[in-house]
Amino acid sequence: LVSYLGVDRVMLAPAVTESRRRVALVSELNDLGVHVDLVPSWSDTVGSRLQLHELEGMPLLTVPRPALGQSARRLKRAFDVVVAGAATLILSPLLAACAIAIKLDSPGPVLFRQRRVGRNNECFEPYKFRSMCDNADACKDEVAGMNLHGGGTVTGMFKIREDPRITRVGSFLRRYSLDELPQLFNILRGEMSLVGPRPLIETEDRQVEGRFRRRLVGITPGLTGLWQANGRSDIPFREMVSLDYLYVTNW
């Protein structure tokens, strides 16, 4: 195949790299002058943080601890404060317009607050523009069968593509993610960061197990994160948590 197709690079998937044929295969490909990459099965855990060392001629791959130094933490916090503060000032007319539109469109408060699990498993209430009717939580069981991820209100993340509880203005806000803008104030208060794992509600957080529990240990939840940039609500719950964990381990 290498000769017939003119292959100059081969990537070996975990199923191959862990087989007995791996050594012979790498040797054969090297003899053909092919560039060989090995994809380890634990790549989703350690990401790109590996460091190459040598001990008595033996190559070693070292996995550094996923920690951010104090100077880096201060820099990240300073970035959050500067950007969130500037964004709040610049977007203040838009924030006011959204608040007025919500108030005119349907009865109820302008802001929606819901307990979420934040840094070190401490709960807080992120701010959002209310995009649903005022009694949305009371009607949750009635629309549980429409959950995109299955499991009703018990397992997975609760997301409905065309949720009947969403108001007319709320639909517009969600389409352009304007309902998330009040979380700029959570960032200024130090409860959130611009980028990081999304804070889950308590019922969703209880479903996160094993090594994935580290997704918010010492780390501030974010306004946006990896899974928002890679498919948003269409991604299955377990993959969402895996992407959050990948962000943490490569922080």
Side-chain angles (χ1 to χ4, degrees):
L1 283 172
V2 167
S3 176
Y4 178 71
L5 298 174
V7 173
D8 56 16
R9 183 170 188 170
V10 172
M11 300 176 69
L12 300 181
V16 178
T17 57
E18 293 179 350
S19 70
R20 293 182 178 180
R21 178 154 158 61
R22 175 183 57 185
V23 175
L25 187 57
V26 171
S27 179
E28 292 170 14
L29 291 170
N30 282 335
D31 291 340
L32 292 171
V34 175
H35 179 107
V36 180
D37 292 307
L38 305 178
V39 181
S41 60
W42 30 263
S43 59
D44 61 334
T45 302
V46 301
S48 58
R49 296 179 300 113
L50 293 177
Q51 298 174 357
L52 181 62
H53 297 281
E54 184 180 320
L55 178 65
E56 298 295 334
M58 178 188 300
L60 300 175
L61 294 176
T62 300
V63 183
R65 293 182 61 190
L68 199 64
Q70 285 298 323
S71 59
R73 288 177 184 273
R74 293 191 189 101
L75 181 61
K76 193 175 193 298
R77 177 60 185 154
F79 178 80
D80 285 340
V81 171
V82 170
V83 175
T88 302
L89 289 175
I90 294 170
L91 298 175
S92 55
L94 177 60
L95 291 169
C98 290
I100 294 170
I102 293 169
K103 205 64 181 174
L104 293 176
D105 182 57
S106 61
V110 169
L111 294 178
F112 172 74
R113 295 188 292 183
Q114 183 182 51
R115 274 173 63 90
R116 303 234 173 181
V117 181
R119 182 176 58 240
N120 296 329
N121 296 318
E122 296 177 0
C123 291
F124 74 107
E125 292 186 342
Y127 303 121
K128 294 182 70 173
F129 280 132
R130 180 176 58 83
S131 59
M132 292 187 176
C133 56
D134 194 26
N135 64 339
D137 272 343
C139 304
K140 196 171 183 178
D141 289 334
E142 298 176 15
V143 295
M146 302 170 67
N147 189 357
L148 284 174
H149 303 293
T153 60
V154 181
T155 60
M157 183 169 282
F158 193 83
K159 291 288 182 181
I160 297 175
R161 194 177 302 279
E162 295 183 5
D163 198 322
R165 300 172 299 166
I166 297 177
T167 63
R168 183 178 53 181
V169 169
S171 178
F172 177 83
L173 296 177
R174 288 191 169 206
R175 187 180 310 140
Y176 298 102
S177 297
L178 297 177
D179 58 320
E180 308 282 357
L181 287 181
Q183 288 171 29
L184 291 170
F185 294 103
N186 291 109
I187 295 174
L188 293 174
R189 293 176 56 173
E191 297 168 330
M192 294 182 67
S193 179
L194 287 167
V195 180
R198 283 293 285 166
L200 299 175
I201 61 176
E202 293 174 285
T203 54
E204 294 168 350
D205 180 75
R206 285 195 288 268
Q207 300 174 48
V208 181
E209 301 175 337
R211 68 178 188 274
F212 299 118
R213 294 296 310 171
R214 285 174 46 201
R215 60 188 291 277
L216 281 175
V217 175
I219 292 176
T220 307
L223 177 65
T224 188
L226 276 183
W227 63 261
Q228 284 87 356
N230 285 276
R232 302 187 62 156
S233 302
D234 295 330
I235 298 179
F237 180 73
R238 182 173 177 80
E239 189 174 340
M240 289 179 182
V241 175
S242 297
L243 286 171
D244 280 344
Y245 182 78
L246 183 64
Y247 170 79
V248 171
T249 55
N250 286 277
W251 202 25

